[in-house]
Every structure is written in C-alpha cells, then in structure tokens.
C-alpha cells in the first residue's frame, strides 16, 4: 500500500511511475498494474534487492508469464530442472538455485502476487487535453489516463488550480444525429470518451498526422463558490 501522504489513484501514467526510481521510493509496473516495492526493498537489503533497484520506475512485464502472472521459468539444460528465469539476478522470494540452509520461505505470498504492494493500474492509453479557465483565460495542458473520469481528471488539475472544484467543466460535443456541435456540461462520473469527447490520436497516428494537431479543450466555468475549494 502507498504511504498515507501519497495520493491514491485508480490509474497511473508511465511518466508517473518513472518518477519513483530510487531505493527509497521504488515503483514498478507489470502486466497492467503498478506496485510500490519500497518497503520490500527495505526489508530485503543487499544483493537480493539490486535487480529491483535497477528497474525502479520501469515496466518489468517481460519478467512474467502473462497467463500465469508468475515469474517466467525455463528448463536448465544441465540439471533438466525447471528454474525461474532471472537474467538480472535473483531477487526477493526467488529460491536459490542450489539448496541452502538459510533460505527463508516463510514470506508466504511472493511479492508479485501480494496485493499489499499493488497501488493502482497502469493506463493502457494516455491522452493529452487542454484545460482553459474561462474566467482567467489561463490554459494548461495535461496528460491523463484515458480510463479516468472527469472527476479524477479534476483531482489532477487541483495541482494547478486549488479552486478547481468551484468550476463547472464543459466541452464542445457533437450533437447526436447531427453535424452540429454545442457546449455541454460534462458528467463528472464519466470518462471523456463517454462524455462525447473522443480521443482521436489513433486516427492521427494512422494518417501520420502530428498527434498534437488537435488537442481537446475542456472549458472551466466559474461557479462563484469558494466553499468547495
């Protein structure tokens, strides 16, 4: 579990994971999940934690079998026994190749299956949006997980505008069965896609058009209410 002073999100971007890249603050992602391994490293100091420290802030899905969600294995050509595949070196909860009297297997669930290290999901696709404050004219560009609802996007925007909860979020949305567009208030509990604000980045990529050719804009309208700021 993340420390109490860290904001818990449902989804994280690879950029956010990459920020946690030290032994004292070590996150990794694999198979669509984000994991905080800081406490694991502190409880396993020394050589065993070195492989984890080397990949801090990175995606390590290639370490695991997506079907079993377990560490990949191979058959040793010398012993003809199945071994865990750890080319970067053995890490916590991986048994030694040879029998050892000091091997402690009392940890129970290996860390890659232990939900206490899980802190959220890795976004499958990031989208870029512009947020324009109609009151002040200020514009900010954010990268957000496409799976997040507008209220979750607002939580991210609070870092840039402490009064974000005192605004109504609107966007230019296509009218159903029409070629017209109109500004509509967004449903805070739906994603941008569900609100009629599609992510057109895949089409731009297919057409080899720069992905920043068009960035959707969310318009913030002041509610004249600081009580929720």
């Amino acid at each position: 579990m993340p420390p109490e002073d860290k904001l818990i999100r449902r989804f994280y971007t690879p950029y956010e994971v990459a920020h946690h890249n030290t032994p004292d603050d070590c996150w990794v992602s694999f198979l669509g999940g984000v994991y905080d391994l800081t406490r694991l490293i502190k409880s396993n100091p020394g050589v065993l934690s070195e492989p984890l420290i080397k990949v801090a802030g990175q995606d390590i899905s290639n370490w695991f079998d997506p079907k079993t969600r377990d560490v990949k294995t191979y058959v040793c050509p010398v012993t003809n026994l199945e071994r865990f595949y750890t080319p970067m070196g053995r890490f916590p909860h991986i048994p030694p190749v040879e029998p050892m009297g000091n091997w402690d297997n009392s940890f129970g669930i290996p860390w890659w299956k232990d939900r206490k290290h899980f802190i959220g999901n890795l976004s499958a696709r990031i989208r870029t949006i512009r947020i324009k404050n109609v009151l002040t004219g200020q514009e900010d560009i954010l990268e957000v997980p496409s799976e997040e609802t507008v209220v979750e996007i607002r939580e991210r925007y609070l870092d840039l505008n402490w009064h974000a909860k005192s605004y109504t979020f609107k966007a230019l949305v296509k009218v159903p069965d029409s070629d017209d567009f109109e500004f509509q208030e967004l449903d805070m509990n739906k994603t941008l896609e569900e609100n009629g604000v599609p992510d057109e980045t895949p089409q731009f990529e297919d057409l080899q058009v720069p992905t920043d050719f068009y960035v959707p804009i969310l318009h913030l309208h002041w509610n004249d209410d600081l009580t929720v700021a």
Side-chain angles (χ1 to χ4, degrees), residues 129-149:
I129 59 172
R130 269 194 297 166
I131 298 182
K132 181 172 183 177
N133 187 325
V134 176
L135 178 67
T136 65
Q138 178 179 339
E139 290 190 15
D140 296 285
I141 295 180
L142 295 181
E143 283 190 338
V144 300
S146 59
E147 303 92 342
E148 284 191 334
T149 62

Side-chain angles (χ1 to χ4, degrees), residues 59-76:
D59 186 84
I60 56 172
S61 295
N62 60 311
W63 287 16
F64 301 91
D65 184 328
K67 293 182 179 180
T68 64
R69 302 188 69 84
D70 210 339
V71 177
K72 289 180 178 178
T73 61
Y74 73 103
V75 176
C76 175

Side-chain angles (χ1 to χ4, degrees), residues 150 154 164 167-170 184-186 188 218-220:
V150 180
R154 184 181 65 185
Y167 287 81
T168 295
F169 282 64
K170 294 184 178 182
Q184 294 184 3
E185 180 177 345
L186 300 180
M188 302 299 286
L218 306 187
H219 294 256
L220 270 60

Side-chain angles (χ1 to χ4, degrees), residues 100-196:
M100 296 178 62
N102 61 352
W103 161 241
D104 182 7
N105 61 357
S106 62
F107 51 81
I109 304 173
W111 64 261
W112 54 91
K113 291 186 176 182
D114 194 338
R115 297 294 290 183
K116 73 181 180 183
H117 300 296
F118 176 81
I119 57 173
N121 299 289
L122 185 69
S123 176
R125 189 169 189 88
I126 307 302
R127 61 180 302 179
T128 303
I129 59 172
R130 269 194 297 166
I131 298 182
K132 181 172 183 177
N133 187 325
V134 176
L135 178 67
T136 65
Q138 178 179 339
E139 290 190 15
D140 296 285
I141 295 180
L142 295 181
E143 283 190 338
V144 300
S146 59
E147 303 92 342
E148 284 191 334
T149 62
V150 180
V151 73
E152 290 173 311
I153 293 174
R154 184 181 65 185
E155 289 299 311
R156 293 177 178 274
Y157 181 63
L158 281 171
D159 291 337
L160 301 172
N161 184 344
W162 291 355
H163 300 302
K165 292 182 180 180
S166 292
Y167 287 81
T168 295
F169 282 64
K170 294 184 178 182
L172 192 61
V173 177
K174 188 176 184 298
V175 178
D177 302 320
S178 171
D179 293 329
D180 298 328
F181 289 80
E182 65 179 15
F183 278 103
Q184 294 184 3
E185 180 177 345
L186 300 180
D187 186 328
M188 302 299 286
N189 295 314
K190 292 183 178 180
T191 66
L192 291 176
E193 192 85 28
E194 292 169 341
N195 269 293

Side-chain angles (χ1 to χ4, degrees), residues 86-97:
T86 56
M88 296 187 67
R90 190 164 71 92
F91 47 81
H93 304 170
I94 292 291
V97 175

Side-chain angles (χ1 to χ4, degrees), residues 200-211 213:
E200 298 179 298
T201 303
Q203 292 91 315
F204 291 158
E205 291 174 342
D206 290 341
L207 296 172
Q208 297 183 338
V209 175
T211 54
F213 177 76

